[in-house]
PDB file of all heavy atoms in Angstrom:
ATOM      1  N   ARG A 220      -6.964 -53.472  43.929  1.00 68.00           N
ATOM      2  CA  ARG A 220      -8.070 -54.380  44.194  1.00 68.00           C
ATOM      3  C   ARG A 220      -7.668 -55.840  44.004  1.00 68.00           C
ATOM      4  O   ARG A 220      -7.181 -56.226  42.951  1.00 68.00           O
ATOM      5  CB  ARG A 220      -9.227 -54.067  43.256  1.00 68.00           C
ATOM      6  CG  ARG A 220     -10.568 -54.459  43.792  1.00 68.00           C
ATOM      7  CD  ARG A 220     -11.632 -54.091  42.801  1.00 68.00           C
ATOM      8  NE  ARG A 220     -11.875 -55.180  41.892  1.00 68.00           N
ATOM      9  CZ  ARG A 220     -12.655 -56.214  42.181  1.00 68.00           C
ATOM     10  NH1 ARG A 220     -13.253 -56.275  43.324  1.00 68.00           N
ATOM     11  NH2 ARG A 220     -12.847 -57.187  41.307  1.00 68.00           N
ATOM     12  N   GLN A 221      -7.858 -56.595  45.035  1.00 76.00           N
ATOM     13  CA  GLN A 221      -7.607 -58.027  44.910  1.00 76.00           C
ATOM     14  C   GLN A 221      -8.941 -58.737  45.036  1.00 76.00           C
ATOM     15  O   GLN A 221      -9.847 -58.242  45.681  1.00 76.00           O
ATOM     16  CB  GLN A 221      -6.671 -58.489  46.015  1.00 76.00           C
ATOM     17  CG  GLN A 221      -5.251 -58.063  45.741  1.00 76.00           C
ATOM     18  CD  GLN A 221      -4.324 -58.511  46.843  1.00 76.00           C
ATOM     19  OE1 GLN A 221      -4.704 -58.499  48.001  1.00 76.00           O
ATOM     20  NE2 GLN A 221      -3.128 -58.889  46.489  1.00 76.00           N
ATOM     21  N   LYS A 222      -9.014 -59.909  44.398  1.00 82.00           N
ATOM     22  CA  LYS A 222     -10.276 -60.629  44.467  1.00 82.00           C
ATOM     23  C   LYS A 222     -10.519 -61.083  45.900  1.00 82.00           C
ATOM     24  O   LYS A 222      -9.605 -61.538  46.570  1.00 82.00           O
ATOM     25  CB  LYS A 222     -10.239 -61.830  43.524  1.00 82.00           C
ATOM     26  CG  LYS A 222     -10.354 -61.393  42.084  1.00 82.00           C
ATOM     27  CD  LYS A 222     -10.649 -62.581  41.170  1.00 82.00           C
ATOM     28  CE  LYS A 222     -10.905 -62.114  39.759  1.00 82.00           C
ATOM     29  NZ  LYS A 222      -9.995 -62.720  38.795  1.00 82.00           N
ATOM     30  N   THR A 223     -11.762 -60.956  46.333  1.00 85.00           N
ATOM     31  CA  THR A 223     -12.104 -61.346  47.692  1.00 85.00           C
ATOM     32  C   THR A 223     -12.394 -62.851  47.726  1.00 85.00           C
ATOM     33  O   THR A 223     -12.644 -63.453  46.682  1.00 85.00           O
ATOM     34  CB  THR A 223     -13.344 -60.577  48.152  1.00 85.00           C
ATOM     35  OG1 THR A 223     -14.375 -60.805  47.201  1.00 85.00           O
ATOM     36  CG2 THR A 223     -13.055 -59.098  48.224  1.00 85.00           C
ATOM     37  N   PRO A 224     -12.391 -63.459  48.918  1.00 88.00           N
ATOM     38  CA  PRO A 224     -12.571 -64.917  48.994  1.00 88.00           C
ATOM     39  C   PRO A 224     -13.834 -65.406  48.297  1.00 88.00           C
ATOM     40  O   PRO A 224     -13.793 -66.383  47.545  1.00 88.00           O
ATOM     41  CB  PRO A 224     -12.644 -65.180  50.499  1.00 88.00           C
ATOM     42  CG  PRO A 224     -11.930 -64.042  51.129  1.00 88.00           C
ATOM     43  CD  PRO A 224     -12.114 -62.853  50.239  1.00 88.00           C
ATOM     44  N   ASN A 225     -14.957 -64.720  48.548  1.00 90.00           N
ATOM     45  CA  ASN A 225     -16.190 -65.182  47.906  1.00 90.00           C
ATOM     46  C   ASN A 225     -16.164 -64.983  46.402  1.00 90.00           C
ATOM     47  O   ASN A 225     -16.756 -65.738  45.647  1.00 90.00           O
ATOM     48  CB  ASN A 225     -17.386 -64.434  48.483  1.00 90.00           C
ATOM     49  CG  ASN A 225     -17.866 -65.063  49.755  1.00 90.00           C
ATOM     50  OD1 ASN A 225     -17.997 -66.280  49.821  1.00 90.00           O
ATOM     51  ND2 ASN A 225     -18.094 -64.267  50.772  1.00 90.00           N
ATOM     52  N   GLU A 226     -15.458 -63.936  45.974  1.00 90.00           N
ATOM     53  CA  GLU A 226     -15.357 -63.671  44.550  1.00 90.00           C
ATOM     54  C   GLU A 226     -14.532 -64.777  43.888  1.00 90.00           C
ATOM     55  O   GLU A 226     -14.864 -65.253  42.805  1.00 90.00           O
ATOM     56  CB  GLU A 226     -14.694 -62.313  44.357  1.00 90.00           C
ATOM     57  CG  GLU A 226     -14.969 -61.679  43.021  1.00 90.00           C
ATOM     58  CD  GLU A 226     -14.340 -60.302  42.922  1.00 90.00           C
ATOM     59  OE1 GLU A 226     -13.936 -59.741  43.961  1.00 90.00           O
ATOM     60  OE2 GLU A 226     -14.234 -59.801  41.798  1.00 90.00           O
ATOM     61  N   ILE A 227     -13.477 -65.201  44.567  1.00 92.00           N
ATOM     62  CA  ILE A 227     -12.653 -66.286  44.040  1.00 92.00           C
ATOM     63  C   ILE A 227     -13.487 -67.556  43.941  1.00 92.00           C
ATOM     64  O   ILE A 227     -13.486 -68.247  42.921  1.00 92.00           O
ATOM     65  CB  ILE A 227     -11.418 -66.514  44.946  1.00 92.00           C
ATOM     66  CG1 ILE A 227     -10.503 -65.293  44.879  1.00 92.00           C
ATOM     67  CG2 ILE A 227     -10.677 -67.779  44.539  1.00 92.00           C
ATOM     68  CD1 ILE A 227      -9.388 -65.309  45.902  1.00 92.00           C
ATOM     69  N   ALA A 228     -14.238 -67.847  44.999  1.00 94.00           N
ATOM     70  CA  ALA A 228     -15.059 -69.058  44.994  1.00 94.00           C
ATOM     71  C   ALA A 228     -16.082 -69.006  43.863  1.00 94.00           C
ATOM     72  O   ALA A 228     -16.276 -69.988  43.143  1.00 94.00           O
ATOM     73  CB  ALA A 228     -15.761 -69.219  46.345  1.00 94.00           C
ATOM     74  N   LEU A 229     -16.696 -67.844  43.696  1.00 94.00           N
ATOM     75  CA  LEU A 229     -17.698 -67.711  42.635  1.00 94.00           C
ATOM     76  C   LEU A 229     -17.042 -67.869  41.258  1.00 94.00           C
ATOM     77  O   LEU A 229     -17.592 -68.511  40.372  1.00 94.00           O
ATOM     78  CB  LEU A 229     -18.403 -66.355  42.754  1.00 94.00           C
ATOM     79  CG  LEU A 229     -19.550 -66.098  41.779  1.00 94.00           C
ATOM     80  CD1 LEU A 229     -20.556 -67.230  41.834  1.00 94.00           C
ATOM     81  CD2 LEU A 229     -20.240 -64.795  42.088  1.00 94.00           C
ATOM     82  N   ASN A 230     -15.847 -67.307  41.119  1.00 93.00           N
ATOM     83  CA  ASN A 230     -15.127 -67.460  39.859  1.00 93.00           C
ATOM     84  C   ASN A 230     -14.861 -68.918  39.532  1.00 93.00           C
ATOM     85  O   ASN A 230     -14.905 -69.327  38.374  1.00 93.00           O
ATOM     86  CB  ASN A 230     -13.804 -66.705  39.909  1.00 93.00           C
ATOM     87  CG  ASN A 230     -13.918 -65.344  39.259  1.00 93.00           C
ATOM     88  OD1 ASN A 230     -14.505 -65.233  38.187  1.00 93.00           O
ATOM     89  ND2 ASN A 230     -13.403 -64.327  39.900  1.00 93.00           N
ATOM     90  N   ILE A 231     -14.574 -69.710  40.563  1.00 94.00           N
ATOM     91  CA  ILE A 231     -14.325 -71.138  40.335  1.00 94.00           C
ATOM     92  C   ILE A 231     -15.594 -71.811  39.826  1.00 94.00           C
ATOM     93  O   ILE A 231     -15.573 -72.574  38.863  1.00 94.00           O
ATOM     94  CB  ILE A 231     -13.820 -71.807  41.629  1.00 94.00           C
ATOM     95  CG1 ILE A 231     -12.432 -71.275  41.969  1.00 94.00           C
ATOM     96  CG2 ILE A 231     -13.803 -73.324  41.495  1.00 94.00           C
ATOM     97  CD1 ILE A 231     -11.910 -71.711  43.313  1.00 94.00           C
ATOM     98  N   LEU A 232     -16.722 -71.480  40.467  1.00 95.00           N
ATOM     99  CA  LEU A 232     -17.982 -72.073  40.016  1.00 95.00           C
ATOM    100  C   LEU A 232     -18.289 -71.659  38.571  1.00 95.00           C
ATOM    101  O   LEU A 232     -18.696 -72.484  37.751  1.00 95.00           O
ATOM    102  CB  LEU A 232     -19.130 -71.643  40.941  1.00 95.00           C
ATOM    103  CG  LEU A 232     -20.484 -72.265  40.601  1.00 95.00           C
ATOM    104  CD1 LEU A 232     -20.485 -73.736  40.969  1.00 95.00           C
ATOM    105  CD2 LEU A 232     -21.618 -71.554  41.309  1.00 95.00           C
ATOM    106  N   LEU A 233     -18.039 -70.387  38.258  1.00 95.00           N
ATOM    107  CA  LEU A 233     -18.300 -69.912  36.894  1.00 95.00           C
ATOM    108  C   LEU A 233     -17.388 -70.613  35.898  1.00 95.00           C
ATOM    109  O   LEU A 233     -17.804 -70.975  34.794  1.00 95.00           O
ATOM    110  CB  LEU A 233     -18.111 -68.397  36.804  1.00 95.00           C
ATOM    111  CG  LEU A 233     -19.079 -67.551  37.636  1.00 95.00           C
ATOM    112  CD1 LEU A 233     -18.820 -66.073  37.417  1.00 95.00           C
ATOM    113  CD2 LEU A 233     -20.519 -67.884  37.305  1.00 95.00           C
ATOM    114  N   ALA A 234     -16.134 -70.822  36.298  1.00 94.00           N
ATOM    115  CA  ALA A 234     -15.206 -71.526  35.415  1.00 94.00           C
ATOM    116  C   ALA A 234     -15.698 -72.945  35.163  1.00 94.00           C
ATOM    117  O   ALA A 234     -15.676 -73.441  34.031  1.00 94.00           O
ATOM    118  CB  ALA A 234     -13.813 -71.538  36.030  1.00 94.00           C
ATOM    119  N   ALA A 235     -16.185 -73.592  36.233  1.00 95.00           N
ATOM    120  CA  ALA A 235     -16.682 -74.966  36.083  1.00 95.00           C
ATOM    121  C   ALA A 235     -17.875 -74.987  35.133  1.00 95.00           C
ATOM    122  O   ALA A 235     -17.966 -75.851  34.251  1.00 95.00           O
ATOM    123  CB  ALA A 235     -17.063 -75.535  37.444  1.00 95.00           C
ATOM    124  N   LEU A 236     -18.774 -74.034  35.300  1.00 94.00           N
ATOM    125  CA  LEU A 236     -19.942 -73.977  34.410  1.00 94.00           C
ATOM    126  C   LEU A 236     -19.494 -73.741  32.969  1.00 94.00           C
ATOM    127  O   LEU A 236     -20.030 -74.341  32.033  1.00 94.00           O
ATOM    128  CB  LEU A 236     -20.887 -72.854  34.847  1.00 94.00           C
ATOM    129  CG  LEU A 236     -21.696 -73.121  36.112  1.00 94.00           C
ATOM    130  CD1 LEU A 236     -22.449 -71.874  36.536  1.00 94.00           C
ATOM    131  CD2 LEU A 236     -22.669 -74.267  35.888  1.00 94.00           C
ATOM    132  N   THR A 237     -18.516 -72.856  32.810  1.00 95.00           N
ATOM    133  CA  THR A 237     -18.009 -72.573  31.470  1.00 95.00           C
ATOM    134  C   THR A 237     -17.456 -73.845  30.831  1.00 95.00           C
ATOM    135  O   THR A 237     -17.717 -74.132  29.663  1.00 95.00           O
ATOM    136  CB  THR A 237     -16.925 -71.491  31.541  1.00 95.00           C
ATOM    137  OG1 THR A 237     -17.457 -70.375  32.238  1.00 95.00           O
ATOM    138  CG2 THR A 237     -16.471 -71.066  30.165  1.00 95.00           C
ATOM    139  N   ILE A 238     -16.698 -74.607  31.618  1.00 95.00           N
ATOM    140  CA  ILE A 238     -16.129 -75.850  31.081  1.00 95.00           C
ATOM    141  C   ILE A 238     -17.248 -76.811  30.675  1.00 95.00           C
ATOM    142  O   ILE A 238     -17.217 -77.414  29.603  1.00 95.00           O
ATOM    143  CB  ILE A 238     -15.192 -76.505  32.122  1.00 95.00           C
ATOM    144  CG1 ILE A 238     -13.984 -75.601  32.355  1.00 95.00           C
ATOM    145  CG2 ILE A 238     -14.753 -77.886  31.657  1.00 95.00           C
ATOM    146  CD1 ILE A 238     -13.113 -76.042  33.505  1.00 95.00           C
ATOM    147  N   ILE A 239     -18.254 -76.930  31.547  1.00 94.00           N
ATOM    148  CA  ILE A 239     -19.363 -77.842  31.230  1.00 94.00           C
ATOM    149  C   ILE A 239     -20.030 -77.444  29.910  1.00 94.00           C
ATOM    150  O   ILE A 239     -20.285 -78.286  29.045  1.00 94.00           O
ATOM    151  CB  ILE A 239     -20.417 -77.825  32.364  1.00 94.00           C
ATOM    152  CG1 ILE A 239     -19.876 -78.583  33.567  1.00 94.00           C
ATOM    153  CG2 ILE A 239     -21.729 -78.448  31.904  1.00 94.00           C
ATOM    154  CD1 ILE A 239     -20.859 -78.730  34.686  1.00 94.00           C
ATOM    155  N   PHE A 240     -20.283 -76.142  29.757  1.00 95.00           N
ATOM    156  CA  PHE A 240     -20.978 -75.716  28.540  1.00 95.00           C
ATOM    157  C   PHE A 240     -20.078 -75.840  27.310  1.00 95.00           C
ATOM    158  O   PHE A 240     -20.561 -76.090  26.218  1.00 95.00           O
ATOM    159  CB  PHE A 240     -21.520 -74.300  28.707  1.00 95.00           C
ATOM    160  CG  PHE A 240     -22.685 -74.240  29.652  1.00 95.00           C
ATOM    161  CD1 PHE A 240     -22.700 -73.357  30.715  1.00 95.00           C
ATOM    162  CD2 PHE A 240     -23.758 -75.115  29.498  1.00 95.00           C
ATOM    163  CE1 PHE A 240     -23.776 -73.325  31.592  1.00 95.00           C
ATOM    164  CE2 PHE A 240     -24.831 -75.082  30.375  1.00 95.00           C
ATOM    165  CZ  PHE A 240     -24.835 -74.184  31.426  1.00 95.00           C
ATOM    166  N   MET A 241     -18.769 -75.663  27.523  1.00 95.00           N
ATOM    167  CA  MET A 241     -17.866 -75.890  26.387  1.00 95.00           C
ATOM    168  C   MET A 241     -17.929 -77.340  25.949  1.00 95.00           C
ATOM    169  O   MET A 241     -18.008 -77.647  24.758  1.00 95.00           O
ATOM    170  CB  MET A 241     -16.431 -75.512  26.764  1.00 95.00           C
ATOM    171  CG  MET A 241     -16.200 -74.011  26.758  1.00 95.00           C
ATOM    172  SD  MET A 241     -14.548 -73.590  27.319  1.00 95.00           S
ATOM    173  CE  MET A 241     -13.632 -73.981  25.845  1.00 95.00           C
TER     174      MET A 241
END
Side-chain angles (χ1 to χ4, degrees):
Chain A
R220 206 179 90 82
Q221 285 180 323
K222 286 193 174 122
T223 55
N225 276 314
E226 201 177 346
I227 294 170
L229 184 53
N230 263 316
I231 292 172
L232 183 72
L233 296 182
L236 286 173
T237 307
I238 294 171
I239 286 185
F240 289 128
M241 283 176 78

